[in-house]
Amino acid sequence: MPYRHTLLFLLAALTSMDASAWSRMGTAAIMTEAGLPCFKIASEEERSRGPVSLKMLTISTAGPNGWNNVWTVMFPNASFGDPSYRLPNKGCVRYGKAPEGAESSDAAPLVAGKVYGVSFLGRPTSASDPTSRYSADFCLLAAPAGGFQVIQLTNGKNTCAPEEKPR
C-alpha cells in the first residue's frame, strides 16, 4: 500500500502545479539585415506549430551579475495576457527598430565578439501548446563593409567565430 500512497501523492502534486511549469521553450532565429541582427520565430517552429502571437522581445547579454537587457520591445496588443500581434509574413524585428505601434527601450550599442541572447515571449495558435518562450544565442562579427555579420550559436557553442565549412 505505501507504493499506492506515493503514487497518489505524486499525481496530486503534479496536477496542482502551475501550468507555466509545463511550458516548452521554442527556438528563435537571427539573421543579418542591413548590417544589424534581425529577430524572428524560427521557421520550423511556425511550420510545425503555426504563427505565434507575440508579447515581448528582449535582447540581453551576460554581465558580472547575470544577464542584462540591452533592448526590449513590447508588441502592440489589446491585452498582455492575450496577445494578438504577429510579425508580417517572413518579417523580422531589426535591432533598434521597433515595429510600428510597438514600444521599446533605447537600444544599447552592440559589440562585435560579445555573446547575446534573444527571447520572444509569445503564444502559439493552439491553446493546448505549452510553448511560451522562443530563444536563441548569437554573436556579431564586424562586417568588412561596415555593420555586423550575425552568427547564431547552436549546439552549446558559446564563442563568436564563423562556422568552418567542410572541404
Side-chain angles (χ1 to χ4, degrees), residues 41-61:
I41 303 300
S43 298
E44 58 272 10
E45 289 285 343
E46 290 202 325
R47 254 193 317 276
S48 65
R49 293 186 160 71
V52 176
S53 297
L54 300 171
K55 298 178 185 184
M56 184 169 60
L57 165 69
T58 304
I59 309 303
S60 54
T61 189

Side-chain angles (χ1 to χ4, degrees), residues 14-154:
L14 289 173
T15 58
S16 66
M17 290 177 86
D18 181 6
S20 64
W22 296 96
S23 66
R24 174 190 166 276
M25 183 76 80
T27 305
I30 308 106
M31 62 199 70
T32 305
E33 185 175 279
L36 290 170
C38 203
F39 313 99
K40 67 179 196 163
I41 303 300
S43 298
E44 58 272 10
E45 289 285 343
E46 290 202 325
R47 254 193 317 276
S48 65
R49 293 186 160 71
V52 176
S53 297
L54 300 171
K55 298 178 185 184
M56 184 169 60
L57 165 69
T58 304
I59 309 303
S60 54
T61 189
N65 298 321
W67 286 84
N68 302 310
N69 290 346
V70 294
W71 190 50
T72 302
V73 177
M74 297 293 293
F75 295 105
N77 287 297
S79 162
F80 186 76
D82 189 22
S84 57
Y85 181 84
R86 293 190 178 140
L87 290 176
N89 189 25
K90 300 191 189 276
C92 62
V93 179
R94 193 177 330 160
Y95 185 78
K97 314 254 188 249
E100 189 173 326
E103 295 179 23
S104 71
S105 65
D106 291 334
L110 298 172
V111 178
K114 195 169 200 175
V115 174
Y116 294 90
V118 56
S119 179
F120 281 100
L121 186 59
R123 188 192 69 197
T125 51
S126 171
S128 64
D129 188 333
T131 310
S132 62
R133 191 172 303 271
Y134 301 82
S135 64
D137 291 334
F138 67 99
C139 65
L140 306 165
L141 297 176
F148 297 104
Q149 174 192 354
V150 175
I151 306 293
Q152 184 161 342
L153 304 176
T154 57

